[in-house]
Amino acid sequence: MADSGTMPGKFVARLVWVVIGVLVIGLGSGLLKAINVGVDPYTAANIGISNLIGWDLGSYQLLSNLVLAR
């Protein structure tokens, strides 16, 4: 069994990498959208839905990711 004292440290390290990964993906999608070369299908669907309901893309994508993560 793993030492419980190291678990919070591993969790924090994994959380940091998750945040870095999300930032890189977000910056990439934003850049692709800004220069009009196209985005991945998930982001394209989120752009369409967010335009349809009148929300900005970031807010809608955050909500959709939270719903899917549950």
Side-chain angles (χ1 to χ4, degrees), residues 2 4 6 9-10 14 19-20 25 27 33-34 36-39 46 48 51 54 56 59 63 70:
S4 63
T6 61
K10 287 183 181 180
R14 290 180 70 177
V19 169
I20 290 171
I25 291 170
L27 288 172
K33 184 177 182 274
N36 292 322
V37 295
V39 294
N46 284 340
N51 287 338
D56 64 293
S59 298
L63 176 67
R70 292 255 168 223

mmCIF file of all heavy atoms in Angstrom, residues 2 4 6 9-10 14 19-20 25 27 33-34 36-39 46 48 51 54 56 59 63 70:
data_model
loop_
_atom_site.group_PDB
_atom_site.id
_atom_site.type_symbol
_atom_site.label_atom_id
_atom_site.label_comp_id
_atom_site.label_asym_id
_atom_site.label_seq_id
_atom_site.Cartn_x
_atom_site.Cartn_y
_atom_site.Cartn_z
ATOM 1 N N ALA A 2 0.474 2.241 -0.721
ATOM 2 C CA ALA A 2 1.252 3.475 -0.839
ATOM 3 C C ALA A 2 1.206 4.267 0.465
ATOM 4 O O ALA A 2 0.244 4.202 1.226
ATOM 5 C CB ALA A 2 0.707 4.327 -1.973
ATOM 6 N N SER A 4 0.428 7.179 2.628
ATOM 7 C CA SER A 4 -0.596 8.226 2.504
ATOM 8 C C SER A 4 -0.014 9.629 2.591
ATOM 9 O O SER A 4 -0.645 10.589 2.166
ATOM 10 C CB SER A 4 -1.678 8.033 3.573
ATOM 11 O OG SER A 4 -1.109 8.182 4.860
ATOM 12 N N THR A 6 2.406 10.789 0.842
ATOM 13 C CA THR A 6 2.817 11.270 -0.478
ATOM 14 C C THR A 6 1.632 11.530 -1.400
ATOM 15 O O THR A 6 1.788 12.147 -2.429
ATOM 16 C CB THR A 6 3.751 10.252 -1.164
ATOM 17 O OG1 THR A 6 3.048 9.023 -1.338
ATOM 18 C CG2 THR A 6 5.007 10.021 -0.351
ATOM 19 N N GLY A 9 0.858 15.226 -2.356
ATOM 20 C CA GLY A 9 1.885 15.748 -3.261
ATOM 21 C C GLY A 9 1.676 15.273 -4.681
ATOM 22 O O GLY A 9 1.823 16.033 -5.643
ATOM 23 N N LYS A 10 1.324 14.004 -4.850
ATOM 24 C CA LYS A 10 1.061 13.475 -6.183
ATOM 25 C C LYS A 10 -0.182 14.120 -6.783
ATOM 26 O O LYS A 10 -0.224 14.399 -7.973
ATOM 27 C CB LYS A 10 0.881 11.961 -6.128
ATOM 28 C CG LYS A 10 2.170 11.215 -5.911
ATOM 29 C CD LYS A 10 1.941 9.726 -5.945
ATOM 30 C CE LYS A 10 3.229 8.991 -5.715
ATOM 31 N NZ LYS A 10 3.044 7.533 -5.741
ATOM 32 N N ARG A 14 -0.237 16.231 -10.246
ATOM 33 C CA ARG A 14 -1.123 15.872 -11.351
ATOM 34 C C ARG A 14 -2.062 17.022 -11.692
ATOM 35 O O ARG A 14 -2.341 17.286 -12.858
ATOM 36 C CB ARG A 14 -1.923 14.622 -11.000
ATOM 37 C CG ARG A 14 -1.057 13.383 -10.965
ATOM 38 C CD ARG A 14 -1.840 12.171 -10.622
ATOM 39 N NE ARG A 14 -2.717 11.858 -11.749
ATOM 40 C CZ ARG A 14 -3.508 10.812 -11.788
ATOM 41 N NH1 ARG A 14 -3.552 9.981 -10.778
ATOM 42 N NH2 ARG A 14 -4.263 10.595 -12.833
ATOM 43 N N VAL A 19 -3.829 21.383 -15.383
ATOM 44 C CA VAL A 19 -4.057 22.808 -15.669
ATOM 45 C C VAL A 19 -3.173 23.264 -16.826
ATOM 46 O O VAL A 19 -3.635 23.972 -17.733
ATOM 47 C CB VAL A 19 -3.825 23.668 -14.401
ATOM 48 C CG1 VAL A 19 -3.790 25.142 -14.736
ATOM 49 C CG2 VAL A 19 -4.888 23.359 -13.361
ATOM 50 N N ILE A 20 -1.925 22.842 -16.838
ATOM 51 C CA ILE A 20 -1.022 23.201 -17.939
ATOM 52 C C ILE A 20 -1.547 22.645 -19.257
ATOM 53 O O ILE A 20 -1.570 23.336 -20.277
ATOM 54 C CB ILE A 20 0.413 22.712 -17.651
ATOM 55 C CG1 ILE A 20 1.030 23.536 -16.520
ATOM 56 C CG2 ILE A 20 1.284 22.795 -18.906
ATOM 57 C CD1 ILE A 20 2.353 22.996 -16.008
ATOM 58 N N ILE A 25 -4.120 23.432 -24.617
ATOM 59 C CA ILE A 25 -5.202 23.113 -25.551
ATOM 60 C C ILE A 25 -6.068 24.350 -25.811
ATOM 61 O O ILE A 25 -6.450 24.626 -26.947
ATOM 62 C CB ILE A 25 -6.039 21.938 -25.023
ATOM 63 C CG1 ILE A 25 -5.210 20.653 -25.070
ATOM 64 C CG2 ILE A 25 -7.326 21.774 -25.819
ATOM 65 C CD1 ILE A 25 -5.838 19.487 -24.362
ATOM 66 N N LEU A 27 -5.196 27.538 -25.551
ATOM 67 C CA LEU A 27 -4.454 28.504 -26.365
ATOM 68 C C LEU A 27 -4.402 28.060 -27.819
ATOM 69 O O LEU A 27 -4.546 28.873 -28.737
ATOM 70 C CB LEU A 27 -3.041 28.693 -25.812
ATOM 71 C CG LEU A 27 -2.943 29.471 -24.512
ATOM 72 C CD1 LEU A 27 -1.517 29.417 -23.963
ATOM 73 C CD2 LEU A 27 -3.363 30.910 -24.713
ATOM 74 N N LYS A 33 -8.874 29.322 -33.965
ATOM 75 C CA LYS A 33 -10.123 30.055 -34.228
ATOM 76 C C LYS A 33 -9.815 31.483 -34.703
ATOM 77 O O LYS A 33 -10.446 31.985 -35.627
ATOM 78 C CB LYS A 33 -10.983 30.097 -32.968
ATOM 79 C CG LYS A 33 -12.340 30.745 -33.172
ATOM 80 C CD LYS A 33 -13.159 30.691 -31.900
ATOM 81 C CE LYS A 33 -14.517 31.280 -32.087
ATOM 82 N NZ LYS A 33 -14.577 32.700 -31.900
ATOM 83 N N ALA A 34 -8.831 32.114 -34.081
ATOM 84 C CA ALA A 34 -8.497 33.505 -34.413
ATOM 85 C C ALA A 34 -7.956 33.651 -35.828
ATOM 86 O O ALA A 34 -8.238 34.647 -36.506
ATOM 87 C CB ALA A 34 -7.490 34.059 -33.411
ATOM 88 N N ASN A 36 -8.639 31.588 -38.277
ATOM 89 C CA ASN A 36 -9.621 31.005 -39.206
ATOM 90 C C ASN A 36 -9.099 29.819 -40.009
ATOM 91 O O ASN A 36 -9.326 29.728 -41.218
ATOM 92 C CB ASN A 36 -10.163 32.071 -40.160
ATOM 93 C CG ASN A 36 -11.010 33.078 -39.446
ATOM 94 O OD1 ASN A 36 -11.764 32.734 -38.549
ATOM 95 N ND2 ASN A 36 -10.873 34.334 -39.838
ATOM 96 N N VAL A 37 -8.415 28.889 -39.345
ATOM 97 C CA VAL A 37 -7.987 27.670 -40.043
ATOM 98 C C VAL A 37 -8.802 26.463 -39.608
ATOM 99 O O VAL A 37 -8.606 25.369 -40.107
ATOM 100 C CB VAL A 37 -6.478 27.388 -39.852
ATOM 101 C CG1 VAL A 37 -5.641 28.460 -40.499
ATOM 102 C CG2 VAL A 37 -6.124 27.213 -38.401
ATOM 103 N N GLY A 38 -9.725 26.660 -38.686
ATOM 104 C CA GLY A 38 -10.585 25.570 -38.237
ATOM 105 C C GLY A 38 -10.160 25.033 -36.887
ATOM 106 O O GLY A 38 -9.015 25.187 -36.473
ATOM 107 N N VAL A 39 -11.101 24.434 -36.197
ATOM 108 C CA VAL A 39 -10.856 23.881 -34.874
ATOM 109 C C VAL A 39 -11.313 22.425 -34.851
ATOM 110 O O VAL A 39 -11.899 21.927 -35.816
ATOM 111 C CB VAL A 39 -11.592 24.691 -33.785
ATOM 112 C CG1 VAL A 39 -11.028 26.098 -33.662
ATOM 113 C CG2 VAL A 39 -13.076 24.756 -34.049
ATOM 114 N N ASN A 46 -19.152 23.424 -29.826
ATOM 115 C CA ASN A 46 -19.328 24.375 -28.729
ATOM 116 C C ASN A 46 -19.451 25.805 -29.239
ATOM 117 O O ASN A 46 -20.203 26.602 -28.678
ATOM 118 C CB ASN A 46 -18.178 24.260 -27.726
ATOM 119 C CG ASN A 46 -18.314 23.051 -26.841
ATOM 120 O OD1 ASN A 46 -19.396 22.487 -26.684
ATOM 121 N ND2 ASN A 46 -17.210 22.631 -26.256
ATOM 122 N N GLY A 48 -20.780 26.680 -32.134
ATOM 123 C CA GLY A 48 -22.128 26.778 -32.685
ATOM 124 C C GLY A 48 -23.194 26.890 -31.611
ATOM 125 O O GLY A 48 -24.100 27.727 -31.699
ATOM 126 N N ASN A 51 -22.993 30.271 -29.769
ATOM 127 C CA ASN A 51 -23.583 31.336 -30.596
ATOM 128 C C ASN A 51 -25.103 31.251 -30.590
ATOM 129 O O ASN A 51 -25.786 32.275 -30.552
ATOM 130 C CB ASN A 51 -23.066 31.256 -32.032
ATOM 131 C CG ASN A 51 -21.636 31.717 -32.170
ATOM 132 O OD1 ASN A 51 -21.127 32.458 -31.335
ATOM 133 N ND2 ASN A 51 -20.975 31.260 -33.210
ATOM 134 N N GLY A 54 -26.315 32.466 -27.190
ATOM 135 C CA GLY A 54 -25.885 33.823 -26.862
ATOM 136 C C GLY A 54 -24.855 33.924 -25.748
ATOM 137 O O GLY A 54 -24.722 34.977 -25.136
ATOM 138 N N ASP A 56 -20.714 33.465 -24.414
ATOM 139 C CA ASP A 56 -19.378 33.451 -24.991
ATOM 140 C C ASP A 56 -18.835 32.014 -24.932
ATOM 141 O O ASP A 56 -19.284 31.187 -24.138
ATOM 142 C CB ASP A 56 -18.450 34.435 -24.278
ATOM 143 C CG ASP A 56 -18.209 34.104 -22.839
ATOM 144 O OD1 ASP A 56 -19.173 34.201 -22.049
ATOM 145 O OD2 ASP A 56 -17.070 33.752 -22.501
ATOM 146 N N SER A 59 -17.332 30.450 -21.480
ATOM 147 C CA SER A 59 -18.318 30.083 -20.458
ATOM 148 C C SER A 59 -19.059 28.811 -20.832
ATOM 149 O O SER A 59 -19.250 27.916 -20.013
ATOM 150 C CB SER A 59 -19.327 31.213 -20.256
ATOM 151 O OG SER A 59 -18.682 32.363 -19.798
ATOM 152 N N LEU A 63 -18.894 25.072 -18.955
ATOM 153 C CA LEU A 63 -20.087 24.386 -18.497
ATOM 154 C C LEU A 63 -20.195 22.993 -19.116
ATOM 155 O O LEU A 63 -20.467 22.005 -18.424
ATOM 156 C CB LEU A 63 -21.339 25.196 -18.825
ATOM 157 C CG LEU A 63 -22.660 24.528 -18.486
ATOM 158 C CD1 LEU A 63 -22.803 24.401 -16.973
ATOM 159 C CD2 LEU A 63 -23.819 25.298 -19.074
ATOM 160 N N ARG A 70 -18.775 14.896 -14.977
ATOM 161 C CA ARG A 70 -19.557 14.271 -13.910
ATOM 162 C C ARG A 70 -19.955 12.942 -14.322
ATOM 163 O O ARG A 70 -20.232 12.073 -14.574
ATOM 164 C CB ARG A 70 -20.781 15.114 -13.585
ATOM 165 C CG ARG A 70 -20.372 16.413 -12.959
ATOM 166 C CD ARG A 70 -20.653 16.344 -11.509
ATOM 167 N NE ARG A 70 -20.062 17.400 -10.780
ATOM 168 C CZ ARG A 70 -19.463 17.171 -9.638
ATOM 169 N NH1 ARG A 70 -19.326 15.988 -9.148
ATOM 170 N NH2 ARG A 70 -18.996 18.165 -8.945
#
